[in-house]
Amino acid sequence: MSMRLSLLTLGLALCTPFSHAQSKLKYVNPLIGTSKMGHTFPGATVPFGSVQLSPDTDTLSYSVNGKYNPDVYKYCAGYQYEDPTIVGFSHTHFSGTGHSDLGDILIMPTSGKLQLNPGIASKPENGFRSAYSHENEIAKPNYYSVLLDDHRIRAELTTTTRVGIHKYTFEKEDSANIILDLISGIYNYDGKNVNTYVRVVDEYHLVGFRQTSGWAKNRTVYFAIEFSRPITAYGYDDFQSKKTYQGFWRKFDLKNNFPEMSAPQFRAFFTVDLDASKELLLKVALSNVSMEGAVENMKYETPDWNFDQYRKAGETLWENELNKFDVQMLNEGDLTNFYTAVYHTCLGPTVYQDHDGQYRGLDFSNGYNKDRQTMNYTTFSLWDTYRALHPLFNLVQRKRNADMVNSMIAHQKQSAEKMLPVWSHYANENWCMIGYHAVSVISDAYNKELKGIDFDKALDACVQTARTRYFEGLDSYMDGGYVAEDKSGSSVSKTLEYAYDDWCIAQLALGLKRMDIYDEFSKRSLNYGNVFDPESGFMCARLSSGKFIEKFDPLETHQAGYIEGNAWNYSLYVPHQVDSMIGLMGGKKRFASHLDSLFTMQLDDKYFEHTEDITREGIMGSYVHGNEPSHHVIYLFDWVGRPELTQKYIRQVLRTKYLAKIDGLSGNDDCGQMSAWYIFSSLGFYPVCPGSDEYILGAPLVKSAKINLENGKVIEITAKNQSEKNIYVKAVYLDGVKLKEFKLNYHHLKNGAKLVFDMTNKPAKTF
Amino acid sequence: MSMRLSLLTLGLALCTPFSHAQSKLKYVNPLIGTSKMGHTFPGATVPFGSVQLSPDTDTLSYSVNGKYNPDVYKYCAGYQYEDPTIVGFSHTHFSGTGHSDLGDILIMPTSGKLQLNPGIASKPENGFRSAYSHENEIAKPNYYSVLLDDHRIRAELTTTTRVGIHKYTFEKEDSANIILDLISGIYNYDGKNVNTYVRVVDEYHLVGFRQTSGWAKNRTVYFAIEFSRPITAYGYDDFQSKKTYQGFWRKFDLKNNFPEMSAPQFRAFFTVDLDASKELLLKVALSNVSMEGAVENMKYETPDWNFDQYRKAGETLWENELNKFDVQMLNEGDLTNFYTAVYHTCLGPTVYQDHDGQYRGLDFSNGYNKDRQTMNYTTFSLWDTYRALHPLFNLVQRKRNADMVNSMIAHQKQSAEKMLPVWSHYANENWCMIGYHAVSVISDAYNKELKGIDFDKALDACVQTARTRYFEGLDSYMDGGYVAEDKSGSSVSKTLEYAYDDWCIAQLALGLKRMDIYDEFSKRSLNYGNVFDPESGFMCARLSSGKFIEKFDPLETHQAGYIEGNAWNYSLYVPHQVDSMIGLMGGKKRFASHLDSLFTMQLDDKYFEHTEDITREGIMGSYVHGNEPSHHVIYLFDWVGRPELTQKYIRQVLRTKYLAKIDGLSGNDDCGQMSAWYIFSSLGFYPVCPGSDEYILGAPLVKSAKINLENGKVIEITAKNQSEKNIYVKAVYLDGVKLKEFKLNYHHLKNGAKLVFDMTNKPAKTF
């Protein structure tokens, strides 16, 4: 490295927060996606922070009278923009998921009479919840503020990685009650709270925990809370519906000013006298290890009461993330979309480790990472994020992604099943969705040359995972070459995804020259062919007998064989051997027309009704952008000489499926996968097959972009003649050389590159 | 110490297990107290061991339809001799308590068809429980065996401190199902199990935990299980009555051969193929810290499969305890009573610490005692055990009692309330009964010169405890000099016990020359006088107004003002100032006659029905020996010149309230307190006022006794002319000198002593 470069790097690090950086924060709107299906949260957090301190407008029960409550789905992130009231501010939220959990440690500042019941949205005055208005609401990176109308309290929230800081300004009250609701949670149900606990350490300090058994079956969040003013009185009430045991401990008043509260279902209050400033601040530190861990996290991250300093520190962290991209767009809405997408890609996976390095593993042990050589992460929505989010991380979050891969390998070692994570959060496997796509992330990390990973051990973990016979029809797949639908449902989706995953394992084995594994998994990677039904021309569910099932409707999402996608979309899922797939499906010409009809067909409403996780706007023809199985599909036109269709549909998706408004996301953001698609596609390329080192070219939406890599190098992208109409690509130049194919490789980019797209309004089938 | 003495000591330590020692084991009958009210358990354990591996004949629910189920009371120790069936063998049991918990990790070996339901006692064939016969049952120190009739399995159990070892011998089966019931527990109720977990580590090993919220609100027992033969299949079933959540994890078979089981209410099975030996052994290690802790405890204590070796090692530990006493008695039944009493005094408090020193404190931290300088203990039934058990420990378990005191001080530091334990188990305060009698144990430890305790810190802990205003009417007591009944119930019992406890604190403060504390608590120790009602002649409940309550029946146990004792018995509770109490009650003569009438009156059945925790046989007149408040009362005759009545009633109690038979205990053994009374009283002296260094003389039941002290010295007791009729004491000689008073001091005994009682059949009022 030359001295000049190194100075430049240094300069970049030092200057970014103070120069153009600040201007980018304004393009992030955390409210985007908080209406309809986006399932994002509007509250305060730092990049990849453990704490997501955000308002909950409602936290419905997952089940009512023992039956699934479909309304709960809206509240995956705790907040729906349309809701008229806020119940309180809780400290943990997923971003964009389609099933949920968390919403821990809900705090609500109140004035007036003490109420320990939240009340209902239509009558907020009957509980501690409050009406609020969007006019009085501000949502920015690491800052959320709202006026709680019923209590006349201005609430402001900011965070550090493991601490939420609350600042409440009262209108004129002399005292206030802070409600600590340990019942409230997202996707709650009767019995989800297995135990909660609060200890009043002294008049300024509480510690406690909330232990739940929900999507994560064994999860405990420990907390420590500090008040800026002394607590003058406190108490709790027990809301357990059924009390079957009265121990001897109930001899004296254990509900008021008794320093220990413990029950599965309780809400506590803490009375504080206000001074002339009418301000009350709270710090709420979390730990997944212990109450002591939470106390230490607070001491380390938030030693004093400087709200603005914590807010600013978090903003700087956000600026650093946003500054990894310097983009010029066609309009401000695009900038909002782009930087909000960048923001959304930094909301998970999240740090899952105390500042001293410890975290609770899947084996309930705490002693990990005491050397703090790596950072442990949680929340792996891998069926979503292996597609574009982790590949994006391999460009701009390389250290973090290496830590994430190591977190996955640690998960595998700790787990009872000795499997890599499928959908994992807070040291719990929730088994959501299908496949074992951690192997894709690992293979992609290998091919993108991440450092600090023991890939031989990683391959062992991949192989052990992929040989787990009891998992989701794997025995059927391993014995018969496909998952038989009569053995395990969603058999086509599984077979296709297993085959791709197996190809990823094979690629990793090839790189490591472990040829027996390469052979085994290369063979398995061909299994997609075993579910192709030549008669229908689609991938189709097969039975153990070898027969394809009879009742088959390729547009029906709930068709046997599939999960969260219909046969039309899923049949295109062979990302590792697109050419062979095209061959199976009748060759290039036929495939091109088949593929185009996906985007142009008129989808009957009855099919849409069965589609999951997306809005009507999330669909083009029968192409479903609002869910993941088709995220690579637009790029497939490149394989059959019709790149102009890739380019056209990319622009359509970027322009219609992502809108710079509250309800602008056409489907669940899925922990950043939808946003990562936006970032890649608007930059002009996409990782159709993670685990390879290839990117497939599309057509950029940016006018220009700089991707500032961690090694100080820059990928410069220029879209010459970019405009609303010039959506097609005439030619692409890499470092001045015209490309012959619609492909790039990682090594073209890793040390910086100049990529020039020559845009035009005329479709050009070839360069 | 002379060389001769030191060799003697060495010789004693080496020889005891092999000489007279072995003969004493036969005098211990763990079945005594397993019928009616004794609440002892018959299973295997080592002295003060963490594991009490014992059969449970039934474990009823604490509540039925939300109401207390009185039948559950019989099952405080899990076993009732009359019951015809055994449900299984669980690993934790209290000895002799009157409320309960525990019964963790129940294991039942079965043959024949798999059954995951225990069934009911009248139809054992409909569940995994089994009929058994006492003919085929053996209960000995550290060994329990029974033939399970329904399964034709001989079960044998032994333990180390933290590990239970099961040996099952089948009749002819080729395979067996071992049931692991994580639902079962003592004093269970719907919701008590908050979470349970099993992980199948490999075909030989399981780990898991059972987390409960019962008498101990926050308690988790971790375990590790090793099988002597491989598990060939396994599974579980979920018995939760209400299922309100079905997560995504239920996509494939998670109930059979899936290595992780987690639910609040489940029972698992493990199938094992047997070989020609038809033997299967299990080791079950416990930890209160973690599953890893349990694994390490197993590795350390039971590295191999030698059942007989572990049994023998435990027997040796028992021999060492029994050999602290060499007694000659009038008949073999007395020997059984005596050594079974010694056995019962070594069943608690129990070791609560992993072999590496760690334990979970009341603050949920695990990092204590890593230096292993002390041993931490749990299960402090202090309202019972401060009276005679801990004073007995100060003679023969000095190191252990110092560790116990340190465990109490640690409890105080860790607790939210910063109080010493009241009734504490497994790092949980259950607040059972009244007073803060840990201060008595501490003061007694000080006056009996225990080493290794920081008594200044201990005094701080005592003072902080005794000043906890919100505790049980202490505010009323501190402000008004007595607990006002309208402020806090059981006010007389509380006032009397607080006054005694305060005297203990004062004595400790005096010894430490902390005179301000001495003054404060000396004043408080006089408060008993404030509840003496001159009109009735009894201690009587008073209101805040100063008035005594009006409806007063001194024989009624449920009389306002008292707990577990009536005014007749409780009014005699001023152990620290007996003379003053006698003065209050009309002087010596009147008191002598009053006291005698307690033993001679005819108690109406209606009063007995209201008496708690004891059998009809536990009562003499209205003197209740089967519960604790009167345990010192017999000795009060000594103060009024009627020692012959003390002597007479002691013999009556020893002969009628303790019988060498299954139902021989007249009340709950209360963690050894009833047994400690037996030991002291049969040796001829009793600590009427723990916290002082005095023992009050009674009349021995032994013919002779040696108490082998830990310092190698011996207290030799000889009862000359001892017989069934010679129950009176003519004279007592200490080291050859005739005593003038019916008292001894600790310093008379601590370096050995020769105590000779000259027995006679004629009452002698004075020596």
Side-chain angles (χ1 to χ4, degrees), chain B residues 387-388 391 395 444 448 500 503 574-579 581-582 591 595 631-647 650 654 676-701 717 729 732 739-749 755 757 765 767:
Chain B
R387 301 168 199 263
L395 286 177
D444 203 53
K448 309 282 173 64
Y500 159 71
W503 179 85
V574 189
H576 54 300
Q577 297 195 349
V578 176
D579 284 325
M581 174 188 74
I582 291 168
F591 184 83
L595 188 58
H631 272 193
H632 66 298
V633 160
I634 286 180
Y635 288 89
L636 299 181
F637 290 108
D638 277 9
W639 267 263
V640 291
R642 302 294 303 277
E644 81 284 7
L645 293 175
T646 293
Q647 295 156 18
I650 283 174
L654 291 171
W677 194 97
Y678 183 92
I679 293 165
F680 268 121
S681 293
S682 64
L683 293 171
F685 56 104
Y686 188 84
V688 164
C689 182
S692 78
D693 68 344
E694 269 183 13
Y695 306 97
I696 304 304
L697 296 179
L701 180 64
I717 296 163
V729 175
V732 185
L739 292 177
K740 308 285 189 204
E741 288 188 295
F742 281 90
K743 280 182 192 171
L744 279 175
N745 291 83
Y746 174 67
H747 69 263
H748 296 134
L749 302 180
L755 196 60
F757 291 85
K765 289 197 184 179
F767 282 142

Side-chain angles (χ1 to χ4, degrees), chain A residues 121-163:
Chain A
S122 57
K123 283 194 176 178
E125 66 279 11
N126 288 350
F128 60 74
R129 77 166 70 210
S130 173
Y132 73 107
S133 155
H134 293 300
E135 284 165 31
N136 297 318
E137 185 183 38
I138 303 166
K140 293 185 174 179
N142 204 33
Y143 182 74
Y144 177 87
S145 176
V146 71
L147 187 66
L148 299 169
D149 292 338
D150 291 18
H151 303 296
R152 301 176 307 283
I153 299 169
R154 164 62 60 183
E156 296 173 276
L157 310 174
T158 192
T159 70
T160 61
T161 298
R162 300 171 184 87
V163 186

Side-chain angles (χ1 to χ4, degrees), chain B residues 143-176:
Chain B
Y143 182 74
Y144 177 86
S145 176
V146 71
L147 186 65
L148 299 169
D149 293 338
D150 291 17
H151 303 296
R152 301 176 309 281
I153 298 169
R154 163 63 59 184
E156 296 174 273
L157 311 173
T158 192
T159 70
T160 61
T161 296
R162 301 172 182 86
V163 186
I165 303 108
H166 305 235
K167 181 179 176 184
Y168 300 132
T169 308
F170 295 76
E171 198 174 271
K172 55 184 180 194
E173 283 73 14
D174 292 327
S175 81

Side-chain angles (χ1 to χ4, degrees), chain B residues 291-541:
Chain B
M291 295 184 281
E292 294 157 282
V295 169
E296 291 303 314
N297 286 342
M298 186 186 290
K299 282 185 192 165
Y300 178 77
E301 295 189 359
T302 54
D304 54 45
W305 284 112
N306 197 330
F307 182 95
D308 291 336
Q309 175 192 307
Y310 301 127
R311 177 183 171 182
K312 279 225 169 62
E315 284 175 351
T316 301
L317 294 173
W318 277 117
E319 285 158 359
N320 292 343
E321 296 306 332
L322 301 176
N323 284 333
K324 289 179 174 170
F325 302 91
D326 291 315
V327 298
Q328 307 295 318
M329 307 286 282
L330 289 167
N331 60 57
E332 183 150 331
D334 289 341
L335 284 167
T336 298
N337 268 340
F338 189 92
Y339 286 108
T340 300
V342 174
Y343 176 82
H344 282 150
T345 61
C346 297
L347 299 179
T350 52
V351 167
Y352 179 78
Q353 177 170 307
D354 281 356
H355 92 86
D356 70 355
Q358 291 196 82
Y359 66 92
R360 178 156 303 176
L362 280 89
D363 53 1
F364 299 84
S365 288
N366 291 327
Y368 298 106
N369 280 11
K370 279 186 186 168
D371 61 1
R372 287 189 270 186
Q373 290 302 298
T374 60
M375 180 69 81
N376 191 58
Y377 286 86
T378 192
T379 305
F380 292 111
S381 180
L382 286 162
W383 182 78
D384 303 301
T385 58
Y386 81 91
R387 301 168 199 263
L389 185 69
H390 289 285
L392 181 68
F393 288 169
N394 281 334
L395 286 177
V396 294
Q397 306 284 357
R398 292 174 62 80
K399 170 69 178 110
R400 277 205 178 91
N401 205 40
D403 283 348
M404 289 170 190
V405 167
N406 282 322
S407 303
M408 293 179 203
I409 297 168
H411 171 120
Q412 188 268 345
K413 277 178 67 175
Q414 297 158 8
S415 77
E417 302 80 19
K418 300 292 173 240
M419 286 183 71
L420 287 160
V422 173
W423 207 129
S424 158
H425 68 288
Y426 287 78
N428 278 263
E429 178 56 78
N430 64 46
W431 303 115
C432 187
M433 295 309 295
I434 57 170
Y436 32 89
H437 301 300
V439 307
S440 163
V441 179
I442 291 170
S443 184
D444 203 53
Y446 179 78
N447 282 294
K448 309 282 173 64
E449 302 168 5
L450 285 199
K451 304 298 174 212
I453 298 166
D454 183 334
F455 281 106
D456 267 297
K457 284 196 180 154
L459 178 59
D460 293 339
C462 292
V463 169
Q464 182 152 7
T465 301
R467 287 182 185 153
T468 306
R469 293 181 60 86
Y470 58 73
F471 175 70
E472 289 277 40
L474 260 183
D475 47 359
S476 165
Y477 174 85
M478 289 167 72
D479 296 342
Y482 61 95
V483 178
E485 180 69 18
D486 49 331
K487 298 292 184 188
S488 186
S490 309
S491 61
V492 179
S493 298
K494 287 175 187 170
T495 301
L496 295 174
E497 296 190 16
Y498 292 162
Y500 159 71
D501 286 339
D502 291 343
W503 179 85
C504 290
I505 295 173
Q507 297 314 296
L508 177 58
L510 180 62
L512 297 170
K513 301 215 167 26
R514 289 172 63 176
M515 301 313 288
D516 51 337
I517 295 172
Y518 172 71
D519 285 346
E520 174 185 348
F521 284 89
S522 291
K523 268 182 211 138
R524 287 170 53 147
S525 76
L526 303 175
N527 281 342
Y528 61 89
N530 296 333
V531 289
F532 182 74
D533 175 15
E535 200 168 311
S536 68
F538 289 97
M539 303 290 182
C540 180

